[in-house]
Amino acid sequence: GESVGLHLPTLSVQEGDNSIINCAYSNSASDYFIWYKQESGKGPQFIIDIRSNMDKRQGQRVTVLLNKTVKHLSLQIAATQPGDSAVYFCAEIDTGGFKTIFGAGTRLFVKA
Amino acid sequence: DAMVIQNPRYQVTQFGKPVTLSCSQTLNHNVMYWYQQKSSQAPKLLFHYYDKDFNNEADTPDNFQSRRPNTSFCFLDIRSPGLGDAAMYLCATGPRRDGNQPQHFGDGTRLSIL
């Protein structure tokens, strides 16, 4: 079946460096994408989203890039901080089919 | 603040003993979701309500059921919990059924089976 997958299950970065978390998707009908952050013992929190008519969207210290040609999504975190340590999930949504698919998740470790 | 609240945060039950997890929301969202999340895995959708319309995922075991008595509350009932049902259970809400906006998650109930 179609699924969302991640290239790197674990990422370790030095505090202050930039982080890049990648996600591949395969459902060509997906037209909306979300990144969630899940800290230990908590539910997923919305970070940033992007619609399929865009290639890039920026938030505070975070940027999401969407490459529809190769079905690839990435989350960039600038100046990574210890508070960014968490598991990050991408989610792809087919708004026509009411279907949300979560990726496997990437655990980000930030070294002080 | 508007939010999604799950009670209890931790629940311990015995093998085969029915258990109910609860979720409430102050967002007045039409859609409420229940997810199961096992360690180091992505949330897995069990079912969702669009208003009172119940939608079960095809691979959700019959052991899992849900009730939504009103807009604010939703319950997850596990009729005969097995050891494999030990997991984090997440409730989420969304304003629209098509998922065209982010879901709002509670902090989950961690269920242990003795």
Side-chain angles (χ1 to χ4, degrees):
Chain A
E2 297 185 298
S3 64
V4 176
L6 296 177
H7 298 305
L8 296 174
T10 303
L11 178 64
S12 184
V13 300
Q14 198 70 37
E15 181 179 1
D17 287 352
N18 296 335
S19 303
I20 300 176
I21 300 172
N22 295 303
C23 178
Y25 68 94
S26 57
N27 184 1
S28 57
S30 294
D31 52 357
Y32 178 48
F33 304 86
I34 303 174
W35 280 100
Y36 289 96
K37 172 187 181 183
Q38 188 174 22
E39 297 177 272
S40 181
K42 295 189 176 182
Q45 288 180 291
F46 167 78
I47 302 174
I48 193 167
D49 58 1
I50 190 167
R51 302 191 188 277
S52 60
N53 61 352
M54 301 172 70
D55 298 322
K56 179 179 180 179
R57 190 157 189 233
Q58 287 185 288
Q60 187 177 13
R61 284 201 306 119
V62 293
T63 300
V64 55
L65 298 176
L66 175 62
N67 185 332
K68 294 179 286 294
T69 302
V70 296
K71 295 190 177 69
H72 185 267
L73 191 69
S74 68
L75 176 69
Q76 299 179 0
I77 304 173
T80 312
Q81 302 169 359
D84 295 326
S85 293
V87 177
Y88 290 81
F89 293 100
C90 62
E92 60 170 314
I93 296 94
D94 168 9
T95 60
F98 307 153
K99 191 72 176 175
T100 297
I101 302 171
F102 279 86
T106 293
R107 185 175 298 278
L108 177 65
F109 290 103
V110 182
K111 297 176 287 186
Chain B
D1 287 341
M3 54 177 34
V4 180
I5 302 168
Q6 293 189 242
N7 285 305
R9 293 296 314 277
Y10 301 92
Q11 177 73 55
V12 181
T13 192
Q14 292 179 333
F15 182 94
K17 186 174 182 181
V19 64
T20 294
L21 310 181
S22 71
C23 177
S24 64
Q25 56 131 340
T26 59
L27 296 157
N28 203 34
H29 281 169
N30 289 326
V31 192
M32 293 189 78
Y33 305 84
W34 278 105
Y35 290 87
Q36 180 192 66
Q37 186 178 30
K38 298 196 173 180
S39 181
S40 299
Q41 295 184 20
K44 178 180 181 296
L45 183 64
L46 296 172
F47 25 60
H48 76 274
Y49 272 96
Y50 173 62
D51 287 337
K52 291 183 181 289
D53 180 25
F54 177 72
N55 298 272
N56 202 28
E57 292 298 299
D59 57 353
T60 298
D62 293 341
N63 202 23
F64 291 85
Q65 300 191 342
S66 186
R67 295 170 283 135
R68 189 179 186 186
N70 54 53
T71 300
S72 300
F73 287 88
C74 197
F75 300 98
L76 170 62
D77 300 307
I78 308 176
R79 288 191 298 183
S80 183
L83 296 178
D85 297 328
M88 175 77 85
Y89 290 88
L90 294 164
C91 174
T93 71
R96 298 171 53 145
R97 190 182 192 188
D98 62 10
N100 204 22
Q101 288 187 357
Q103 294 179 22
H104 296 252
F105 285 83
D107 283 337
T109 294
R110 183 166 295 282
L111 179 66
S112 299
I113 314 294
L114 298 180

